[in-house]
Amino acid sequence: MKKNNSVLLSTPYLLWMVAFTLIPLGVVGYYALTDPATGVFSLTNLQNLGMYWGVLWQSIVYSLISAFICLLLGYPVAYFIAHCSDTAQKILYMLVMLPMCMSFLLRTLAWVGLLQDTGLINRLLQLLGLPQMQLIRTPGAVVLGMVYNYLPYMILPLYSTIVKIDHRLVEAAWDLGCTPVQTFAKVIFPLSMPGILSGITMVFVPAVSTFYISQKLGGTDTVLIGDVIERQFKQGNNPNLGAALSLVLMILVFVCTGIMNRFGADEEGGVIA
């Protein structure tokens, strides 16, 4: 009886997964592995990916840099929130999530207004008698946009992990003569490793596939794989090649997620040892 109830309760979720996950993935795979002219099975689209490996590598590098910066900025914030009072934690948690309630496009366009040549920052520099700076259409602007948009995805899993650390372990380290630095390095940081891996994954996955940030904040030398995929569907009129690029990117995301989950499970299960 319980088994039948479980099947009935899981049916809507299974239907949702089939309709909005498996079928779209099947469509992507079909276009990626068929000839655009004849519709028969072909590896031509995958063979044409060689010219885009540089763009894919650049996307990975930008995403890793953004994830690392998010970790450096997000860990102290998450640690501070986790050690505040319950009321303060709720307020600060809400403030971290508040930017996510605003449209992703609007948040990115706000940075365009700040960084453009006639933007707020350059106008302020002009008023102070300082030379204007090239802030937009640079790799730094793209990384800045990624960090700003995806930083909450790093803070939230880190906070959820750090707040669950048993304070008695920290007190035990103090009783054994550990300094604050040693306590952090040998107790707190290892115990927060699952949150670190989860945060890196949650930042890397959307960053490596983004295209709007690079279009608005980047230049001609900051083309990412998401930009190439969009162009194949909209401008290049070659959805098969775009699907092949999407398939490669999807495999990359699955591999990275699997690796992170594997190491995260190992850390969670054996971190005390």
Side-chain angles (χ1 to χ4, degrees):
M1 185 66 179
K2 291 183 178 180
K3 185 176 181 180
N4 293 333
N5 291 335
S6 300
V7 172
L8 291 175
L9 291 174
S10 62
T11 298
Y13 173 75
L14 294 175
L15 293 176
W16 179 274
M17 290 291 294
V18 170
F20 297 101
T21 302
L22 296 181
I23 292 178
L25 291 180
V27 172
V28 171
Y30 169 78
Y31 277 98
L33 300 176
T34 55
D35 185 85
T38 61
V40 299
F41 176 79
S42 174
L43 297 178
T44 304
N45 300 311
L46 297 179
Q47 294 172 353
N48 293 331
L49 296 180
M51 65 184 75
Y52 298 110
W53 289 125
V55 178
L56 179 60
W57 174 247
Q58 181 170 255
S59 302
I60 294 174
V61 171
Y62 278 35
S63 302
L64 290 176
I65 293 174
S66 302
F68 181 71
I69 296 176
C70 285
L71 178 61
L72 292 180
L73 297 176
Y75 198 101
V77 174
Y79 186 87
F80 174 77
I81 296 176
H83 289 81
C84 291
S85 63
D86 292 341
T87 302
Q89 285 185 30
K90 294 177 181 178
I91 296 174
L92 295 174
Y93 189 89
M94 181 190 67
L95 292 177
V96 171
M97 294 185 63
L98 192 60
M100 300 171 63
C101 300
M102 185 184 299
S103 170
F104 174 85
L105 304 181
L106 292 178
R107 297 200 305 268
T108 305
L109 288 175
W111 276 107
V112 174
L114 289 172
L115 301 178
Q116 62 185 349
D117 298 335
T118 58
L120 184 60
I121 296 178
N122 274 319
R123 287 183 179 179
L124 180 60
L125 293 176
Q126 187 177 8
L127 290 175
L128 296 175
L130 299 175
Q132 292 187 353
M133 301 176 61
Q134 179 65 40
L135 301 175
I136 204 169
R137 298 183 298 276
T138 62
V142 175
V143 173
L144 176 62
M146 290 181 178
V147 171
Y148 172 75
N149 281 289
Y150 303 130
L151 182 59
Y153 298 141
M154 177 66 72
I155 296 176
L156 298 182
L158 281 173
Y159 161 76
S160 300
T161 302
I162 295 174
V163 77
K164 295 177 183 178
I165 295 178
D166 193 342
H167 190 68
R168 291 175 297 181
L169 298 175
V170 178
E171 293 177 347
W174 292 343
D175 293 339
L176 293 174
C178 288
T179 64
V181 175
Q182 292 174 328
T183 302
F184 175 80
K186 296 183 178 181
V187 179
I188 298 175
F189 187 80
L191 289 175
S192 61
M193 188 59 67
I196 293 175
L197 295 176
S198 178
I200 291 175
T201 304
M202 293 180 67
V203 172
F204 176 81
V205 169
V208 76
S209 58
T210 189
F211 61 92
Y212 191 77
I213 294 176
S214 55
Q215 289 179 3
K216 294 300 180 182
L217 299 179
T220 56
D221 58 338
T222 54
V223 177
L224 304 183
I225 192 65
D227 301 315
V228 177
I229 294 173
E230 187 201 24
R231 291 174 185 175
Q232 296 302 322
F233 281 97
K234 288 186 175 181
Q235 302 174 10
N237 196 25
N238 193 351
N240 294 75
L241 181 57
L245 290 167
S246 301
L247 184 63
V248 171
L249 185 61
M250 188 166 38
I251 293 174
L252 172 65
V253 170
F254 285 158
V255 170
C256 294
T257 303
I259 292 174
M260 293 295 183
N261 289 338
R262 176 65 182 272
F263 281 101
D266 292 342
E267 292 288 343
E268 194 170 5
V271 66
I272 302 300

